[in-house]
Amino acid sequence: MEEQKLEKDLEEVKELLAKATRKRTHDVLMAEKYKLEMEIKNQPPPKLKEDTTEEEKPPAGGYTVKINSYGWDQSDKFVKIYITLNGVQQLPAENVQVHFTERSFDLLVKNLNGKNYSMTFNNLLKPISVEGSSRKIKTDMILVLCRKKREEKWDCLTQVEKESKEKEKASYDTSDPGEGLMNLLKKMYAEGDDEMKRTINKAWVESREKQGKGDMPLDI
């Protein structure tokens, strides 16, 4: 999803901001951080894909919509997944079903405004307790509570997300923080608009003039 990609970019910019020592480099990273935050804020809500394939005995509604939009956080004991569904609190409790295994869960919401909704998470990052996991129905929201088997921090929800995050981070992970900054600035320059390119060029030229030596400006 585009929003997840932007959030990962924002995390990397924040990490590099913590390493930045030059004022101009810091200013460029702050500009990129602001730009990413605004893009995330202005992201349209994801369109839910509709699967019109009827089940053998479909409930009223006749087709199932896959849920792609969610939020999550965690406590020491639980991983919490938040799913927004307007009016879900009006359904009978038995219409909201969650099936847990040690490394997955399936959510099925039956006959909400004439449709069914489903969400599946496979290959969770770490094992969960099936007996200790549950779900809560709130106003316009379902809260899925996955009880951790071990009280340790999760960096993401699934193994797939972890592998993807590690691959993206690898291009910036170097023993030299300056090299990581250079890689990010090159990426920002390549993907940025004209204003961003001018800002990056100006930052590097002024930094070089001020120091009288050091890194070359970006090759454009």
Side-chain angles (χ1 to χ4, degrees):
M1 294 172 61
E2 179 65 20
E3 184 172 345
Q4 290 179 334
K5 180 177 181 296
L6 290 171
E7 288 174 351
K8 289 178 180 178
D9 289 342
L10 180 58
E11 287 178 11
E12 291 174 358
V13 170
K14 287 179 178 178
E15 289 176 5
L16 289 164
L17 264 171
K19 300 177 182 178
T21 56
R22 304 176 197 169
K23 183 179 184 301
R24 286 293 179 182
T25 303
H26 184 273
D27 291 345
V28 170
L29 290 170
M30 284 298 295
E32 180 66 8
K33 176 176 175 289
Y34 176 77
K35 178 183 174 184
L36 287 169
E37 289 173 340
M38 292 305 296
E39 287 186 26
I40 292 171
K41 182 179 179 181
N42 294 327
Q43 279 289 302
K47 294 182 179 179
L48 301 177
K49 296 181 180 179
E50 297 181 349
D51 180 3
T52 57
T53 302
E54 292 189 356
E55 301 173 353
E56 291 182 4
K57 295 181 180 180
Y63 60 90
T64 299
V65 177
K66 183 178 179 181
I67 301 171
N68 293 314
S69 180
Y70 64 91
W72 77 283
D73 64 10
Q74 61 186 305
S75 63
D76 290 340
K77 296 183 179 180
F78 289 94
V79 172
K80 307 172 186 179
I81 296 92
Y82 302 87
I83 301 103
T84 299
L85 284 174
N86 290 334
V88 69
Q89 74 277 6
Q90 298 173 3
L91 289 177
E94 59 268 21
N95 281 31
V96 181
Q97 303 172 358
V98 184
H99 173 69
F100 296 96
T101 72
E102 190 176 68
R103 297 299 285 266
S104 71
F105 72 83
D106 295 289
L107 167 68
L108 176 62
V109 180
K110 297 180 179 179
N111 195 21
L112 175 60
N113 300 322
K115 301 176 185 177
N116 310 310
Y117 294 83
S118 70
M119 168 180 274
T120 300
F121 270 93
N122 293 315
N123 298 317
L124 291 171
L125 184 66
K126 301 177 187 293
I128 62 173
S129 166
V130 175
E131 297 78 12
S133 299
S134 62
R135 62 100 176 102
K136 292 183 179 180
I137 301 173
K138 299 178 177 291
T139 303
D140 297 331
M141 179 181 292
I142 300 170
L143 172 60
V144 178
L145 296 162
C146 297
R147 176 66 183 259
K148 298 177 180 179
K149 277 204 168 182
R150 294 183 178 180
E151 295 184 10
E152 53 189 355
K153 182 180 178 181
W154 289 29
D155 295 325
C156 49
L157 282 178
T158 66
Q159 286 287 347
V160 173
E161 287 181 36
K162 179 184 178 182
E163 291 170 5
S164 175
K165 188 173 182 180
E166 287 175 348
K167 286 179 182 178
E168 290 188 12
K169 190 175 181 181
S171 61
Y172 303 112
D173 274 348
T174 66
S175 57
D176 179 4
E179 187 176 342
L181 290 171
M182 174 66 82
N183 289 337
L184 178 62
L185 289 173
K186 285 181 178 179
K187 178 177 182 289
M188 289 162 54
Y189 183 88
E191 298 178 356
D193 54 23
D194 291 342
E195 182 178 353
M196 178 57 64
K197 289 177 180 179
R198 285 194 296 270
T199 301
I200 294 173
N201 280 335
K202 182 179 179 182
W204 279 98
V205 170
E206 292 185 4
S207 175
R208 194 174 167 224
E209 289 176 350
K210 192 172 182 180
Q211 295 182 12
K213 61 178 181 178
D215 295 325
M216 295 294 291
L218 293 178
D219 181 9
I220 61 170

